[in-house]
Amino acid sequence: MARVATARGFATTFRALIRLNAARELQYRANFVASLLGAVFWLVMAIFTVGIFYEHTGELGGWTFWETAVLLGVFNALVGVIEGFLRPGIRSLPDEIRRGSLDLLLLRPIDAQLYVSFRELDLWRIVDVVLGFGLSAYAMHRLGRTVTPFEVAGFVVTFVAAVALLYGVWLSLMSLAFWFVAVENLSTVFDALFEAARYPASAYPTPLRIIFVFVLPVAWTTTVPASALVGRLSLAGVLGSIGVAALMLVISRIIWRFALRRYSSAGG
């Protein structure tokens, strides 16, 4: 019963944070136009870049152009999730730890991790998500594919797992600020590594493929969900995606709680 109550409390708090951020973002509706133009520009550039590869080959790691376009749509949607929901709140954590202003956040009567993670949201980045899914849908149309109920369910599950995995990785990286000073550079490393998810994991040499699956699991974020839409996903892939995401969430929670116990506040 306690776990149910906690889950309900998390859901209630998250809804409240969504409403608060929505009210704030609606005051600056011009941001929607800027987000839309920026999202369209970067998506077009990404398609153009991928197209350059296919000027010289018919397949990339066994994936055709339109299959890779499906994956690129998933990648773009995840970028929208990262920039709109995962990055805005957590990115301030290192500065708050250094200044001691984290003390004020820890005094709030809600779970500190939940509040720090989602206190600030850039809701206009939902444009990236919509455009990404739109690109995937159009690419599937060009492939002549009609997804089965299992494939739809597999995509939903693995996409949610990808979001959970990215959240766990992002929170773990930013939590290192409790021990190290300049962790902001890690966000640049994170972005660079995530760029690898723009292409199918099978397109990389075997050593890199192993790293992207077992060490830095970016392959689980785009290749696996896109595989569901192009008919390449197996039940093992779905279960593996869930397992990796759950493991990362547990690890990030452990790191966060251990970091808070170490935190000595502004007063030292």
Side-chain angles (χ1 to χ4, degrees):
M1 293 296 293
R3 291 183 178 179
V4 173
T6 300
R8 289 176 179 172
F10 276 26
T12 300
T13 302
F14 187 73
R15 286 196 298 269
L17 291 173
I18 289 287
R19 289 195 296 269
L20 178 64
N21 281 276
R24 183 180 62 212
E25 290 293 335
L26 287 174
Q27 299 179 44
Y28 307 99
R29 300 184 183 183
N31 288 349
F32 171 75
V33 177
S35 295
L36 178 60
L37 294 177
V40 170
F41 173 77
W42 287 113
L43 186 58
V44 169
M45 290 301 296
I47 296 172
F48 176 75
T49 302
V50 171
I52 292 176
F53 285 101
Y54 283 95
E55 286 291 327
H56 307 285
T57 181
E59 293 186 346
L60 190 63
W63 289 55
T64 65
F65 172 78
W66 288 112
E67 287 177 328
T68 302
V70 171
L71 185 147
L72 187 60
V74 174
F75 174 84
N76 200 78
L78 285 173
V79 168
V81 172
I82 292 172
E83 299 298 333
F85 294 86
L86 304 187
R87 192 187 298 268
I90 303 178
R91 67 184 170 191
S92 303
L93 181 62
D95 282 338
E96 290 165 343
I97 293 173
R98 285 194 293 267
R99 295 195 307 264
S101 55
L102 181 64
D103 297 10
L104 300 177
L105 301 182
L106 297 179
L107 293 175
R108 295 176 180 269
I110 60 175
D111 184 81
Q113 178 184 328
L114 179 66
Y115 181 74
V116 167
S117 299
F118 303 109
R119 57 190 160 160
E120 294 183 24
L121 303 173
D122 185 355
L123 297 180
W124 295 129
R125 295 307 295 261
I126 198 71
V127 170
D128 294 88
V129 179
V130 173
L131 288 176
F133 286 157
L135 174 60
S136 293
Y138 177 72
M140 289 167 58
H141 170 71
R142 292 298 301 266
L143 288 169
R145 288 213 80 246
T146 300
V147 294
T148 66
F150 170 76
E151 290 170 339
V152 173
F155 171 74
V156 172
V157 170
T158 53
F159 186 83
V160 171
V163 173
L165 171 61
L166 289 171
Y167 168 72
V169 171
W170 185 243
L171 177 64
S172 298
L173 289 177
M174 291 299 100
S175 294
L176 294 178
F178 286 97
W179 290 275
F180 306 103
V181 177
V183 300
E184 289 87 347
N185 293 333
L186 291 177
S187 65
T188 304
V189 176
F190 171 84
D191 292 337
L193 290 174
F194 186 59
E195 281 294 315
R198 188 189 297 268
Y199 305 101
S202 57
Y204 294 97
T206 301
L208 281 178
R209 198 181 314 161
I210 293 173
I211 291 175
F212 291 152
V213 172
F214 298 105
V215 182
L216 304 170
V218 295
W220 297 96
T221 58
T222 55
T223 299
V224 174
S227 295
L229 298 179
V230 299
R232 295 171 177 264
L233 185 63
S234 64
L235 180 59
V238 175
L239 297 178
S241 182
I242 295 172
V244 171
L247 178 61
M248 195 65 244
L249 285 178
V250 171
I251 291 174
S252 63
R253 182 66 173 179
I254 291 173
I255 293 175
W256 171 261
R257 292 176 68 88
F258 182 73
L260 284 187
R261 286 198 295 270
R262 180 193 178 278
Y263 180 61
S264 57
S265 80

